[in-house]
Amino acid sequence: MENTDFKTPRGMAVTIPGKTTTINHQLGTTDIIVALYNVATGNELNSGITVVDKNTVTITTASGAPDQIRVVIMGFPMAE
């Protein structure tokens, strides 16, 4: 692989209401992985995830979304 830069990932987790929500994660990168889980069942959810900028994502939910959603975000710092 060319230009491979191994970095230690950082992350955060937050519980949001079951509605469209913007999260300020402060990871300083757009190289992120976002996973969503139904708090009541633990099942993984599929929802719209928009990377707004290097510190912000928006989670867009559809009607019928659970009351609480656990959002886990892992990011890899940008190469310097």
Side-chain angles (χ1 to χ4, degrees), residues 37-53:
Y37 301 93
N38 181 327
V39 170
T41 66
N43 293 335
E44 190 170 13
L45 301 172
N46 293 317
S47 289
I49 299 167
T50 303
V51 177
V52 176
D53 60 33

Side-chain angles (χ1 to χ4, degrees), residues 2-20:
E2 278 186 42
N3 298 324
T4 301
D5 190 11
F6 293 101
K7 299 278 187 176
T8 301
R10 296 181 296 150
M12 60 95 60
V14 63
T15 300
I16 64 170
K19 63 180 183 178
T20 298

Side-chain angles (χ1 to χ4, degrees):
M1 279 185 179
E2 278 186 42
N3 298 324
T4 301
D5 190 11
F6 293 101
K7 299 278 187 176
T8 301
R10 296 181 296 150
M12 60 95 60
V14 63
T15 300
I16 64 170
K19 63 180 183 178
T20 298
T21 304
T22 298
I23 300 170
N24 187 344
H25 55 71
Q26 292 298 312
L27 296 175
T29 181
T30 56
D31 295 335
I32 60 172
I33 299 167
V34 181
L36 309 172
Y37 301 93
N38 181 327
V39 170
T41 66
N43 293 335
E44 190 170 13
L45 301 172
N46 293 317
S47 289
I49 299 167
T50 303
V51 177
V52 176
D53 60 33
K54 65 181 184 174
N55 291 309
T56 312
V57 295
T58 297
I59 308 301
T60 304
T61 59
S63 62
D67 291 334
Q68 290 189 312
I69 298 170
R70 187 72 173 163
V71 181
V72 179
I73 303 172
M74 295 295 297
F76 294 86
M78 296 272 215
E80 297 175 12

